[in-house]
Amino acid sequence: MSDTTTAENTNEPRLITETGLDRRVADIIEPVLVDMGFRLVRVRMSGQNGLTLQVMTERNDGTMTVEDCEEVSKAISPVLDVEDPIDKAYHLEVSSPGIDRPMVRRSDFIRWQGHLVKCETSVMVDGRKRFRGKIVSVDEDGFRLERDQPAYGEEAAVAIPFTALSEARLILTDELIRDALTADKKAKAARAANENFEDEDTDNE
């Protein structure tokens, strides 16, 4: 796994975005999230519990707590009430991306290089649209995958352009769980240290 800086992630556009109503909701709430120091991962409307608007988000450092979810929910609810993009009653659900997260930005592929991912493309790449394997390298245009179960006659490695990507998600493994928990612990410790430093500066003024 490779680390990426918060600065690099702040205004990084998503490779995979919504369509239709989901896209309209994303356009409404994303500026609010950015102002709060969060970044949008995904918006999805589902028929769960009647009608549920699922908003997946995280801090720029990749962390997300229960308190963060509550803070985001309280911030975007009034904005959605004013803009009123959904003409039916719905339940708002704010969550973190989770360990087996959707991969929506180039930095996601850089950060989780070396881990297993499953993905789909919108066009045929190397004779197929569905892939599963380890991320072995990432560049400006796409990433290289080493398939864990190549079919007979297929090359183990395949290059997938970001422009062809329609969906991607990490595959849960013991190694991923270990690395994700370590990264989360480091990020929270760094944030706590920064907050303590800011508090000391305030006390000295």
Side-chain angles (χ1 to χ4, degrees), residues 160-180:
I160 301 176
F162 286 134
T163 53
L165 203 60
S166 62
E167 188 174 350
R169 178 181 285 274
L170 285 172
I171 296 173
L172 203 60
T173 62
D174 289 342
E175 184 183 8
L176 175 62
I177 292 170
R178 185 187 67 242
D179 284 357

Side-chain angles (χ1 to χ4, degrees), residues 104-197:
V104 298
R105 290 178 170 85
R106 178 175 173 270
S107 60
D108 293 336
F109 289 87
I110 295 172
R111 183 173 189 178
W112 300 108
Q113 194 168 308
H115 287 282
L116 286 173
V117 67
K118 57 182 177 181
C119 61
E120 291 188 26
T121 56
S122 55
V123 296
M124 298 289 276
V125 175
D126 201 23
R128 62 164 61 203
K129 288 187 175 183
R130 292 185 177 182
F131 301 88
R132 173 191 160 113
K134 183 185 292 185
I135 305 167
V136 291
S137 64
V138 185
D139 59 28
E140 288 295 325
D141 301 318
F143 61 100
R144 196 166 182 82
L145 204 66
E146 186 177 281
R147 299 185 241 219
D148 60 349
Q149 299 169 337
Y152 179 76
E154 284 186 331
E155 293 289 335
V158 58
I160 301 176
F162 286 134
T163 53
L165 203 60
S166 62
E167 188 174 350
R169 178 181 285 274
L170 285 172
I171 296 173
L172 203 60
T173 62
D174 289 342
E175 184 183 8
L176 175 62
I177 292 170
R178 185 187 67 242
D179 284 357
L181 292 176
T182 299
D184 188 67
K185 187 175 181 180
K186 284 182 179 178
K188 286 177 178 175
R191 194 164 82 224
N194 186 55
E195 287 171 355
N196 289 337
F197 180 75

Side-chain angles (χ1 to χ4, degrees), residues 40-56:
L40 181 63
V41 176
R42 188 181 72 192
V43 169
R44 180 173 290 176
M45 186 68 73
S46 77
Q48 184 180 335
N49 297 328
L51 196 62
T52 299
L53 175 60
Q54 299 172 328
V55 175
M56 196 176 283

Side-chain angles (χ1 to χ4, degrees), residues 66-85:
V66 173
E67 292 75 21
D68 290 336
C69 290
E70 292 173 353
E71 182 184 350
V72 168
S73 183
K74 288 177 182 177
I76 64 177
S77 287
V79 178
L80 289 169
D81 287 344
V82 171
E83 296 292 338
D84 198 23

